[in-house]
């Protein structure tokens, strides 16, 4: 399997091949675990890991300057993303879809991040990866919605809705924790 | 919007994600496993050898390699649930960057069917002039064969005797539902992507994928598939 992925790396040097093999051996089970947490199906999760590895093989150059922590995050995000792409629509979380959309300006007007930082971190750690991932691509990696749509295999409009609902979900959960916003 | 709030929010996002990832157990503590088929392929390929016949007559050209990758990718994204006795209902789902071709049924394993299925290997009994077999991989009833001519044009046939999920890169592909003149053939599709035409369909207990260079005559190739793909 690894040999196959390595053939996808154009003009792959031995260094790149080694880097990919190391990633594969170091993270494969955690990738499967992360995918299965979303799909709850070992066969589909295996498909997701496969798709994630194809993406990683194609972008192996991007990983060469990353720290171990960054590489881990990149690989796990790839596995989550692949799983989210495979997750069937009816199995998607509904909690945030009931909420109205929220503009970025409104979000930052209501979010007192300095006062609620720890609670925000904890909510992000436990929120559905569908919303966490889109928020990270947008606010941490500073990608535009078109780039995110391509990464997440969905329409730009869907990315915008997920961003808005993710913001609203965060505010809603903070309110439920008794933090007046 | 206060830029510093945005920066702080980005920091919180990253910290939250790290906290989530940190809660994932270490590799050695995870009780999930890849399927036996998936693991077998990994082990064999890491060792750098194949259990199937491999007859490269000369260094593999880039086009051939790409074709082999295409076929193997299809095979490796195969999820084996069980062998089947009856024809499963096939679904095709298109996403932005790829297409999934899959059976909806949950099926039980039947050893008698499995034995029969494993023993049958389909191949093209006629080929366009100048084509020779360059590569063959066979395992557990899965057969992938690649033929090539002097010009570097390729033909590949991939046979899978089980329930499955195929995932194809069809981001820039023109995917069409087609009629295929083969007994029992159903759910046939054709797409062209990166200089290669692929036709996939289900038939009896098998799913087939045939890919070929788009420089080859499409009608002639479809005729070969319809009338000259036979059990050996």
């Amino acid at each position: 399997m690894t040999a196959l992925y390595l053939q996808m790396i154009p003009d792959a040097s031995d260094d790149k091949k080694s880097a990919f093999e190391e990633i594969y051996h170091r993270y494969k089970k955690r990738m499967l675990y992360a995918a299965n947490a979303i799909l709850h199906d070992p066969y589909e999760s295996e498909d997701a890991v496969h798709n994630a590895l194809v993406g990683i093989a194609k972008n192996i150059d991007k990983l060469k300057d990353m720290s171990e922590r960054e590489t881990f995050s990149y690989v796990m995000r790839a596995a989550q993303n692949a799983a989210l792409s495979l997750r069937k629509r009816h199995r998607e979380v509904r909690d945030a879809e009931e909420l109205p959309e929220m503009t970025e300006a409104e979000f930052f007007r209501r979010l007192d991040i300095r006062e609620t930082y720890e609670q925000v971190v904890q909510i992000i750690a436990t929120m559905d990866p569908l919303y966490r991932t889109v928020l990270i691509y947008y606010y941490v990696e500073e990608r535009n919605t078109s780039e995110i749509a391509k990464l997440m295999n969905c329409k730009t409009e869907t990315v915008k809705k997920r961003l808005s609902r993710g913001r609203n979900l965060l505010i809603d959960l903070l309110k439920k924790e008794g933090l007046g916003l | 919007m206060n830029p510093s709030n945005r920066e702080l929010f980005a920091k919180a996002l990253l910290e939250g994600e790290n906290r989530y990832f940190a809660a994932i157990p270490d590799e050695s503590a995870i009780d999930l496993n890849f399927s036996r088929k998936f693991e077998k392929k990994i082990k064999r390929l890491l060792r750098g050898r194949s259990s199937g016949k491999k007859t490269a007559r000369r260094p593999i050209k880039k086009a051939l390699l790409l074709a082999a990758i295409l076929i193997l990718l299809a095979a490796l994204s195969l999820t084996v649930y069980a062998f089947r006795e009856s024809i499963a209902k096939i679904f095709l789902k298109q996403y932005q960057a790829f297409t999934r071709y899959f059976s909806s049924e949950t099926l039980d394993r039947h050893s008698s069917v499995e034995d029969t299925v494993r023993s049958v290997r389909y191949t093209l009994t006629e080929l366009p002039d100048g084509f020779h077999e360059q590569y063959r991989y066979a395992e557990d009833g899965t057969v992938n064969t690649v033929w090539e001519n002097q010009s570097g044009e390729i033909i590949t046939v991939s046979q899978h005797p089980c329930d499955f999920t195929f995932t194809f890169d069809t981001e820039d592909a023109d995917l069409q539902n087609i009629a295929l003149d083969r007994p029992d053939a159903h759910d046939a599709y054709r797409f062209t992507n990166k200089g290669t035409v692929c036709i996939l369909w289900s038939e009896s207990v098998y799913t087939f994928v045939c890919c070929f260079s788009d420089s080859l005559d499409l009608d002639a190739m479809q005729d070969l598939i319809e009338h000259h793909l036979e059990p050996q």
Side-chain angles (χ1 to χ4, degrees), chain A residues 39-53:
Chain A
L39 294 164
H40 308 293
D41 180 310
Y43 298 107
E44 283 198 326
S45 301
E46 217 169 65
D47 278 353
V49 172
H50 166 266
N51 292 344
L53 286 169

Side-chain angles (χ1 to χ4, degrees), chain B residues 57-70:
Chain B
R57 296 180 183 179
R58 56 197 165 86
I60 297 176
K61 290 183 177 177
K62 193 176 177 185
L64 176 62
L65 189 62
L66 285 172
I69 289 168
L70 184 66

Side-chain angles (χ1 to χ4, degrees), chain A residues 20-38 41-42 45-46 48-50 52-53 56 72 75-76 79-80, chain B residues 20-21 23-35 38-39 42-43:
Chain A
F20 183 83
E21 281 205 50
E22 190 180 335
I23 285 166
Y24 176 74
H25 287 297
R26 183 174 286 189
Y27 303 120
K28 62 177 181 177
K29 276 199 146 188
R30 279 174 282 188
M31 292 173 79
L32 188 64
Y33 184 97
N36 197 54
I38 292 166
D41 180 310
S45 301
E46 217 169 65
V49 172
H50 166 266
L53 286 169
I56 290 166
F72 176 59
V75 168
M76 298 305 286
Q80 282 193 337
Chain B
Y20 173 76
F21 288 151
I24 294 176
D26 286 341
E27 292 281 303
S28 58
I30 293 174
D31 199 21
L32 281 169
N33 290 301
F34 290 97
S35 68
F38 196 92
E39 291 284 12
I42 290 169
K43 282 179 186 165

Side-chain angles (χ1 to χ4, degrees), chain B residues 210-221:
Chain B
C210 177
C211 299
F212 48 90
S213 305
D214 65 357
S215 50
L216 295 172
D217 183 85
L218 179 59
D219 291 337
M221 285 308 302

Side-chain angles (χ1 to χ4, degrees), chain B residues 11-27:
Chain B
K11 186 168 175 279
L13 279 166
L14 207 51
E15 201 173 320
E17 185 192 50
N18 287 341
R19 196 173 290 185
Y20 173 76
F21 288 151
I24 294 176
D26 286 341
E27 292 281 303

Side-chain angles (χ1 to χ4, degrees), chain A residues 5-6 8-10 20 52-61:
Chain A
Y5 296 126
L6 293 177
M8 298 189 63
I9 305 171
F20 183 83
L53 286 169
V54 170
I56 290 166
K58 285 179 179 171
N59 293 290
I60 195 74
D61 270 342

Side-chain angles (χ1 to χ4, degrees), chain A residues 1-4 7-8 21 24-30 32-34 36-37 41 43-44 46-47 49-51 54 58 69 72-73 76-77 80 85-86 88 104 107-108 111 113-114 117-118 120-122 124-125 132 135-136 138-140 149-150 153-155 170, chain B residues 1-2 4-28 30-36 38-39 41-43 45-46 65 68-69 72-73 76-81 93 95-98 100 102 165 167 169 171:
Chain A
M1 178 77 73
T2 313
L4 171 71
Q7 290 176 64
M8 298 189 63
E21 281 205 50
Y24 176 74
H25 287 297
R26 183 174 286 189
Y27 303 120
K28 62 177 181 177
K29 276 199 146 188
R30 279 174 282 188
L32 188 64
Y33 184 97
N36 197 54
D41 180 310
Y43 298 107
E44 283 198 326
E46 217 169 65
D47 278 353
V49 172
H50 166 266
N51 292 344
V54 170
K58 285 179 179 171
R69 163 64 63 190
F72 176 59
S73 296
M76 298 305 286
R77 253 177 235 158
Q80 282 193 337
S85 292
L86 295 182
K88 291 181 176 58
E104 187 174 270
F107 174 69
F108 281 109
L111 178 68
I113 187 74
R114 291 172 201 285
Y117 185 84
E118 178 51 34
V120 170
V121 169
Q122 191 53 35
I124 289 160
R132 181 173 58 231
L135 288 169
I136 283 174
Y138 192 76
Y139 290 106
V140 177
K150 198 162 185 181
N153 194 37
C154 62
K155 294 176 183 172
L170 187 61
Chain B
M1 184 185 64
N2 185 336
S4 63
N5 277 355
R6 189 185 173 115
E7 283 169 14
L8 208 52
F9 179 56
K11 186 168 175 279
L13 279 166
L14 207 51
E15 201 173 320
E17 185 192 50
N18 287 341
R19 196 173 290 185
Y20 173 76
F21 288 151
I24 294 176
D26 286 341
E27 292 281 303
S28 58
I30 293 174
D31 199 21
L32 281 169
N33 290 301
F34 290 97
S35 68
R36 204 158 54 95
F38 196 92
E39 291 284 12
K41 284 180 193 297
I42 290 169
K43 282 179 186 165
L45 287 165
L46 284 177
L65 189 62
I69 289 168
L72 287 170
L73 263 181
L76 289 164
S77 58
L78 183 75
T79 300
V80 181
Y81 292 97
K93 187 161 183 180
Y95 300 83
Q96 187 169 322
F98 61 91
R100 298 188 85 207
F102 61 101
T165 299
T167 305
D169 174 2
E171 186 170 15

